[in-house]
Short mmCIF file of all heavy atoms in Angstrom, two decimals:
data_model
loop_
_atom_site.label_atom_id
_atom_site.label_comp_id
_atom_site.label_asym_id
_atom_site.label_seq_id
_atom_site.Cartn_x
_atom_site.Cartn_y
_atom_site.Cartn_z
N ALA X 236 -1.34 -2.43 6.33
CA ALA X 236 -1.94 -2.11 7.62
C ALA X 236 -2.24 -0.61 7.71
O ALA X 236 -3.29 -0.20 8.18
CB ALA X 236 -1.02 -2.54 8.76
N ALA X 237 -1.31 0.21 7.23
CA ALA X 237 -1.51 1.65 7.26
C ALA X 237 -2.67 2.04 6.36
O ALA X 237 -3.50 2.88 6.72
CB ALA X 237 -0.23 2.37 6.83
N ALA X 238 -2.76 1.43 5.18
CA ALA X 238 -3.86 1.73 4.26
C ALA X 238 -5.19 1.31 4.86
O ALA X 238 -6.19 2.03 4.77
CB ALA X 238 -3.63 1.03 2.92
N LEU X 239 -5.22 0.14 5.50
CA LEU X 239 -6.45 -0.34 6.12
C LEU X 239 -6.85 0.56 7.29
O LEU X 239 -8.02 0.90 7.44
CB LEU X 239 -6.27 -1.78 6.59
CG LEU X 239 -7.50 -2.46 7.19
CD1 LEU X 239 -8.65 -2.45 6.18
CD2 LEU X 239 -7.17 -3.88 7.59
N ALA X 240 -5.89 0.97 8.08
CA ALA X 240 -6.19 1.84 9.22
C ALA X 240 -6.73 3.18 8.75
O ALA X 240 -7.64 3.74 9.36
CB ALA X 240 -4.94 2.03 10.08
N ALA X 241 -6.20 3.71 7.66
CA ALA X 241 -6.66 4.99 7.14
C ALA X 241 -8.05 4.85 6.53
O ALA X 241 -8.85 5.79 6.55
CB ALA X 241 -5.67 5.50 6.09
N ALA X 242 -8.38 3.69 6.00
CA ALA X 242 -9.67 3.48 5.33
C ALA X 242 -10.80 3.26 6.33
O ALA X 242 -11.95 3.51 6.02
CB ALA X 242 -9.58 2.29 4.38
N VAL X 243 -10.49 2.78 7.52
CA VAL X 243 -11.52 2.50 8.52
C VAL X 243 -11.76 3.77 9.33
O VAL X 243 -10.85 4.26 9.99
CB VAL X 243 -11.09 1.34 9.45
CG1 VAL X 243 -12.11 1.13 10.54
CG2 VAL X 243 -10.86 0.09 8.65
N PRO X 244 -12.98 4.32 9.29
CA PRO X 244 -13.22 5.55 10.05
C PRO X 244 -13.19 5.27 11.55
O PRO X 244 -13.71 4.26 12.01
CB PRO X 244 -14.62 5.98 9.59
CG PRO X 244 -15.26 4.75 9.04
CD PRO X 244 -14.14 3.86 8.56
N ALA X 245 -12.58 6.16 12.27
CA ALA X 245 -12.52 6.02 13.72
C ALA X 245 -13.77 6.64 14.32
O ALA X 245 -14.17 7.72 13.93
CB ALA X 245 -11.27 6.71 14.26
N ALA X 246 -14.35 5.96 15.27
CA ALA X 246 -15.58 6.44 15.91
C ALA X 246 -15.22 7.45 16.99
O ALA X 246 -14.99 7.08 18.13
CB ALA X 246 -16.36 5.28 16.49
N GLY X 247 -15.15 8.71 16.62
CA GLY X 247 -14.90 9.78 17.58
C GLY X 247 -13.47 9.84 18.08
O GLY X 247 -13.19 10.51 19.04
N ALA X 248 -12.55 9.15 17.44
CA ALA X 248 -11.16 9.18 17.88
C ALA X 248 -10.27 9.21 16.66
O ALA X 248 -10.67 8.87 15.57
CB ALA X 248 -10.85 7.96 18.73
N ALA X 249 -9.05 9.61 16.88
CA ALA X 249 -8.08 9.63 15.78
C ALA X 249 -7.78 8.20 15.36
O ALA X 249 -7.71 7.30 16.19
CB ALA X 249 -6.80 10.33 16.23
N ALA X 250 -7.61 7.99 14.07
CA ALA X 250 -7.31 6.65 13.57
C ALA X 250 -5.92 6.24 14.03
O ALA X 250 -5.00 7.03 14.03
CB ALA X 250 -7.39 6.64 12.05
N SER X 251 -5.79 4.97 14.42
CA SER X 251 -4.48 4.45 14.81
C SER X 251 -4.18 3.24 13.95
O SER X 251 -5.09 2.52 13.55
CB SER X 251 -4.47 4.07 16.29
OG SER X 251 -5.40 3.05 16.51
N PRO X 252 -2.91 3.02 13.64
CA PRO X 252 -2.58 1.86 12.80
C PRO X 252 -2.91 0.55 13.51
O PRO X 252 -2.85 0.47 14.73
CB PRO X 252 -1.08 1.99 12.56
CG PRO X 252 -0.59 2.94 13.59
CD PRO X 252 -1.76 3.77 14.04
N LEU X 253 -3.28 -0.44 12.73
CA LEU X 253 -3.58 -1.76 13.28
C LEU X 253 -2.29 -2.45 13.67
O LEU X 253 -1.29 -2.32 12.98
CB LEU X 253 -4.31 -2.60 12.24
CG LEU X 253 -5.68 -2.09 11.81
CD1 LEU X 253 -6.22 -2.95 10.67
CD2 LEU X 253 -6.64 -2.10 12.98
N PRO X 254 -2.29 -3.21 14.76
CA PRO X 254 -1.07 -3.94 15.11
C PRO X 254 -0.83 -5.07 14.12
O PRO X 254 -1.77 -5.72 13.66
CB PRO X 254 -1.37 -4.49 16.51
CG PRO X 254 -2.85 -4.53 16.59
CD PRO X 254 -3.37 -3.41 15.71
N LEU X 255 0.40 -5.27 13.77
CA LEU X 255 0.77 -6.36 12.88
C LEU X 255 1.01 -7.61 13.69
O LEU X 255 1.52 -7.54 14.81
CB LEU X 255 2.05 -6.02 12.11
CG LEU X 255 1.92 -4.94 11.06
CD1 LEU X 255 3.29 -4.62 10.49
CD2 LEU X 255 0.99 -5.36 9.96
N PRO X 256 0.66 -8.76 13.16
CA PRO X 256 0.99 -10.00 13.87
C PRO X 256 2.50 -10.11 14.04
O PRO X 256 3.26 -9.82 13.12
CB PRO X 256 0.47 -11.10 12.94
CG PRO X 256 -0.46 -10.42 12.00
CD PRO X 256 -0.04 -8.99 11.93
N VAL X 257 2.92 -10.50 15.23
CA VAL X 257 4.35 -10.61 15.52
C VAL X 257 5.03 -11.56 14.54
O VAL X 257 6.15 -11.33 14.12
CB VAL X 257 4.57 -11.07 16.98
CG1 VAL X 257 6.03 -11.32 17.26
CG2 VAL X 257 4.01 -10.04 17.93
N SER X 258 4.33 -12.60 14.12
CA SER X 258 4.94 -13.58 13.23
C SER X 258 5.34 -12.98 11.90
O SER X 258 6.25 -13.47 11.23
CB SER X 258 4.00 -14.77 13.00
OG SER X 258 2.80 -14.30 12.41
N LEU X 259 4.69 -11.90 11.46
CA LEU X 259 5.08 -11.25 10.21
C LEU X 259 6.39 -10.48 10.36
O LEU X 259 7.11 -10.28 9.40
CB LEU X 259 3.99 -10.28 9.75
CG LEU X 259 2.75 -10.90 9.14
CD1 LEU X 259 1.75 -9.81 8.78
CD2 LEU X 259 3.09 -11.72 7.91
N LEU X 260 6.66 -10.00 11.57
CA LEU X 260 7.84 -9.18 11.79
C LEU X 260 9.06 -9.98 12.21
O LEU X 260 10.18 -9.55 12.01
CB LEU X 260 7.55 -8.11 12.85
CG LEU X 260 6.40 -7.16 12.51
CD1 LEU X 260 6.13 -6.23 13.68
CD2 LEU X 260 6.71 -6.37 11.25
N GLU X 261 8.86 -11.13 12.83
CA GLU X 261 9.98 -11.93 13.31
C GLU X 261 10.52 -12.82 12.21
O GLU X 261 9.76 -13.37 11.42
CB GLU X 261 9.54 -12.81 14.48
CG GLU X 261 9.26 -12.06 15.74
CD GLU X 261 8.87 -12.99 16.88
OE1 GLU X 261 8.84 -14.21 16.68
OE2 GLU X 261 8.60 -12.48 17.95
N ARG X 262 11.81 -12.95 12.19
CA ARG X 262 12.42 -13.91 11.29
C ARG X 262 12.72 -15.17 12.10
O ARG X 262 13.11 -15.08 13.26
CB ARG X 262 13.72 -13.34 10.71
CG ARG X 262 13.44 -12.16 9.84
CD ARG X 262 14.62 -11.66 9.08
NE ARG X 262 15.91 -12.00 9.60
CZ ARG X 262 17.00 -11.29 9.38
NH1 ARG X 262 16.94 -10.19 8.70
NH2 ARG X 262 18.16 -11.67 9.86
N PRO X 263 12.57 -16.33 11.50
CA PRO X 263 12.87 -17.56 12.25
C PRO X 263 14.37 -17.64 12.56
O PRO X 263 15.20 -17.11 11.83
CB PRO X 263 12.43 -18.67 11.32
CG PRO X 263 12.40 -18.07 9.97
CD PRO X 263 12.13 -16.60 10.15
N ASP X 264 14.67 -18.29 13.67
CA ASP X 264 16.06 -18.53 14.02
C ASP X 264 16.57 -19.67 13.17
O ASP X 264 15.89 -20.70 13.03
CB ASP X 264 16.18 -18.91 15.50
CG ASP X 264 15.74 -17.78 16.42
OD1 ASP X 264 15.92 -16.61 16.05
OD2 ASP X 264 15.21 -18.07 17.51
N ARG X 265 17.75 -19.52 12.60
CA ARG X 265 18.37 -20.57 11.80
C ARG X 265 19.83 -20.68 12.22
O ARG X 265 20.59 -19.74 12.08
CB ARG X 265 18.28 -20.24 10.31
CG ARG X 265 16.90 -20.41 9.76
CD ARG X 265 16.91 -20.41 8.23
NE ARG X 265 15.57 -20.67 7.75
CZ ARG X 265 14.73 -19.72 7.38
NH1 ARG X 265 15.08 -18.47 7.43
NH2 ARG X 265 13.51 -20.04 6.97
N LEU X 266 20.17 -21.86 12.73
CA LEU X 266 21.53 -22.09 13.20
C LEU X 266 22.09 -23.35 12.56
O LEU X 266 21.37 -24.32 12.36
CB LEU X 266 21.54 -22.26 14.73
CG LEU X 266 21.06 -21.05 15.54
CD1 LEU X 266 20.89 -21.43 17.00
CD2 LEU X 266 22.04 -19.89 15.39
N THR X 267 23.38 -23.31 12.28
CA THR X 267 24.11 -24.49 11.84
C THR X 267 24.99 -24.90 13.01
O THR X 267 25.74 -24.09 13.55
CB THR X 267 24.97 -24.19 10.60
OG1 THR X 267 24.11 -23.77 9.54
CG2 THR X 267 25.76 -25.41 10.17
#
């Protein structure tokens, strides 16, 4: 995401990182 954000030129604004999908950051709940 950081590499992609740096590669995409910002139109008159500072580049900001792209938000990551929440599902990539969350771990599933697992209970016994």
Side-chain angles (χ1 to χ4, degrees):
L239 184 58
V243 176
S251 62
L253 297 174
L255 290 175
V257 175
S258 61
L259 285 178
L260 301 175
E261 289 182 1
R262 294 188 338 206
D264 296 328
R265 287 194 176 97
L266 298 170
T267 299

